[in-house]
Amino acid sequence: MAAPDIGACVSAGIEGFKKNMGLHIVCGLIIMLVSSATGGIITGPLWVGYMRMIKSESEGGKPEIGDIFKGFDDFLPGFLAVLISSIAVSIGTMLCIIPGLLIMALMPVSAYLVAVCGETDGVNAVKRAWEIVKANLIPSALCALVLGLIGSLGAIL
């Protein structure tokens, strides 16, 4: 897999967001609130559903708020992929922050593999994500950092 083009990622994200701004804001709030209320237990399936919604939208589909709950169709793979990769990033962050920053792309990549690429094993999704991130360590880290900062600014607004 080629290194991510940060400019292309940001541009595509902004264009997709502008198409259906209200829907993406509501979905983001639902994911934040429900994930917080459940101690993060269902964050993975919600992210999987949201990624599927975005893919469908980019292919011309009509997204709906309920689409974020379609990630529950693959609850266990989504749960495990996000849980394991989040633990890895947390441990990396505890090891002087830099290792956590370098692998922070692990969570979205593993969730993407479940959501879009059809990975049905959460542990295997993390293994595959690690290979992808490792092959493009610095560009993946920079892309995840930039997108994380933009997402944080959006959440603050």
Side-chain angles (χ1 to χ4, degrees), residues 69-89:
F69 298 104
K70 290 182 181 174
F72 286 96
D73 294 346
D74 290 304
F75 180 87
L76 191 57
F79 170 76
L80 288 175
V82 170
L83 176 69
I84 294 167
S85 56
S86 296
I87 290 171
V89 172

Side-chain angles (χ1 to χ4, degrees), residues 149-157:
L149 289 172
I150 291 169
S152 296
L153 288 173
I156 291 169
L157 292 175

Side-chain angles (χ1 to χ4, degrees), residues 95-128:
L95 298 172
C96 296
I97 299 174
I98 302 297
L101 289 174
L102 288 173
I103 64 167
M104 66 192 223
L106 196 60
M107 193 282 288
V109 172
S110 60
Y112 179 84
L113 290 170
V114 172
V116 179
C117 298
E119 181 62 61
T120 58
D121 179 351
V123 175
N124 197 45
V126 175
K127 289 177 184 176
R128 287 179 59 197

Side-chain angles (χ1 to χ4, degrees), residues 29-40 42-43 46 69 72:
L29 288 171
I30 290 171
I31 292 170
M32 273 191 335
L33 294 172
V34 174
S35 293
S36 296
T38 62
I42 60 174
T43 303
L46 289 173
F69 298 104
F72 286 96

Side-chain angles (χ1 to χ4, degrees), residues 1-86:
M1 181 174 251
D5 178 348
I6 298 171
C9 289
V10 171
S11 295
I14 290 172
E15 287 306 310
F17 179 75
K18 287 193 306 189
K19 285 180 190 174
N20 217 334
M21 195 178 304
L23 176 73
H24 289 286
I25 290 170
V26 169
C27 287
L29 288 171
I30 290 171
I31 292 170
M32 273 191 335
L33 294 172
V34 174
S35 293
S36 296
T38 62
I41 298 294
I42 60 174
T43 303
L46 289 173
W47 270 108
V48 167
Y50 185 63
M51 287 180 177
R52 287 182 179 155
M53 183 191 84
I54 292 170
K55 182 179 187 303
S56 171
E57 181 181 34
S58 71
E59 293 173 342
K62 178 76 172 115
E64 298 176 5
I65 291 172
D67 290 345
I68 63 172
F69 298 104
K70 290 182 181 174
F72 286 96
D73 294 346
D74 290 304
F75 180 87
L76 191 57
F79 170 76
L80 288 175
V82 170
L83 176 69
I84 294 167
S85 56
S86 296

